[in-house]
Amino acid sequence: YHVSTFLGCVDTASKLMGCAASNSHVLLQGRVFYLGGLIGSTYSDVLEVTPVHGMVTVKNSAVTNCSIKTKQSRNSNESGGLVGWLSEGGTVENCRVSGMTTPSNTNSTHVGGLIGYIPESTTAAVKTTVRNCYVEGCTLSGKTSLSATLGNVVANSRAFSNNYYYNCTLNGDTDGNDLGAVAVTSGLTDGTLVSSLNASGNKNWMQGAASPVLNPDKTGQTEVTVMSYNIYYLVQNDSYP
């Protein structure tokens, strides 16, 4: 449970800003839940009593050319390019995922290029926010709730806006919840998409060589890179590693 290239589980109203993981690869054995390129989950049993503990914020962060794979053909559920499980009240803003690969088992469920799973909100006052994000070149596999951005969303109080994706390969039943995310086929190199991502006036995006990238001068992004080697998790009998 709670597997990623950077942080397995984050809780207690944490804030992650300006983080990046690149060229990092995780190899799993066994059945695993909550897989994320940057964070496995923001899940906690405390949420059942005090939702504020799940209000994790992830901003101005990126995942590039990372992968999470399994040695055996077993389900790996709640997989996201950035976050596997985003608890109610969480915020993901100005984040970029590029070249992420999730486990190839097409029996997996709740798989998204950005977030794998967002649960139902227990109160209308607690909103889950996902905005100004971009996903490109990801390879995702799943049986149900598979999409280029958001795998499965049952949140009844949410604010999703201004999210985009490009050139993602989906292997399985593409019945996830892009929820207004826009598939782009042009404008990646001429500044058009950058202007759209910066529409709220935050100026956190800039033009890269082939597509929009986060502007380190505006986001304060500090690259946290796990070196390009395999990280091995051994999971047996569907238990915690």
Side-chain angles (χ1 to χ4, degrees):
Y1 288 64
H2 315 293
V3 175
S4 81
T5 65
F6 185 41
L7 295 173
C9 185
V10 179
D11 189 21
T12 319
S14 301
K15 293 184 178 181
L16 283 81
M17 299 187 182
C19 295
S22 64
N23 301 315
S24 304
H25 309 282
V26 175
L27 180 62
L28 305 167
Q29 178 173 309
R31 187 183 186 191
V32 186
F33 296 85
Y34 317 143
L35 315 179
L38 192 70
I39 302 170
S41 77
T42 61
Y43 172 82
S44 170
D45 292 337
V46 180
L47 284 169
E48 298 178 1
V49 180
T50 313
V52 70
H53 282 264
M55 294 182 184
V56 172
T57 297
V58 183
K59 293 184 177 181
N60 311 330
S61 298
V63 174
T64 305
N65 297 329
C66 294
S67 68
I68 298 177
K69 298 181 179 180
T70 55
K71 292 184 67 175
Q72 299 174 333
S73 181
R74 303 195 66 183
N75 299 359
S76 299
N77 301 333
E78 287 77 51
S79 301
L82 188 76
V83 181
W85 173 298
L86 180 68
S87 294
E88 58 181 287
T91 296
V92 172
E93 184 176 350
N94 293 313
C95 290
R96 184 181 193 272
V97 178
S98 175
M100 179 68 184
T101 301
T102 64
S104 59
N105 190 327
T106 55
N107 286 322
S108 299
T109 62
H110 311 148
V111 181
L114 191 63
I115 301 166
Y117 188 88
I118 301 176
E120 183 177 4
S121 179
T122 57
T123 172
V126 178
K127 289 188 176 181
T128 301
T129 301
V130 181
R131 63 187 176 190
N132 305 337
C133 294
Y134 175 62
V135 178
E136 70 172 14
C138 294
T139 301
L140 315 169
S141 303
K143 181 179 181 180
T144 60
S145 302
L146 169 69
S147 86
T149 53
L150 307 171
N152 189 55
V153 180
V154 294
N156 55 15
S157 182
R158 56 185 178 243
F160 300 158
S161 62
N162 205 38
N163 301 304
Y164 303 86
Y165 63 95
Y166 168 73
N167 193 32
C168 291
T169 300
L170 306 179
N171 300 314
D173 296 331
T174 55
D175 58 348
N177 298 270
D178 283 319
L179 292 176
V182 178
V184 295
T185 57
S186 62
L188 279 77
T189 59
D190 63 5
T192 300
L193 185 53
V194 170
S195 296
S196 297
L197 287 163
N198 284 332
S200 60
N202 55 29
K203 307 301 180 185
N204 285 332
W205 294 87
M206 61 182 286
Q207 184 61 55
S211 61
V213 295
L214 291 167
N215 185 347
D217 292 336
K218 299 295 183 181
T219 63
Q221 186 182 76
T222 301
E223 186 167 356
V224 181
T225 302
V226 180
M227 297 301 289
S228 184
Y229 60 85
N230 289 334
I231 305 170
Y232 291 90
Y233 288 81
L234 175 61
V235 182
Q236 296 178 326
N237 300 322
D238 301 337
S239 63
Y240 287 85

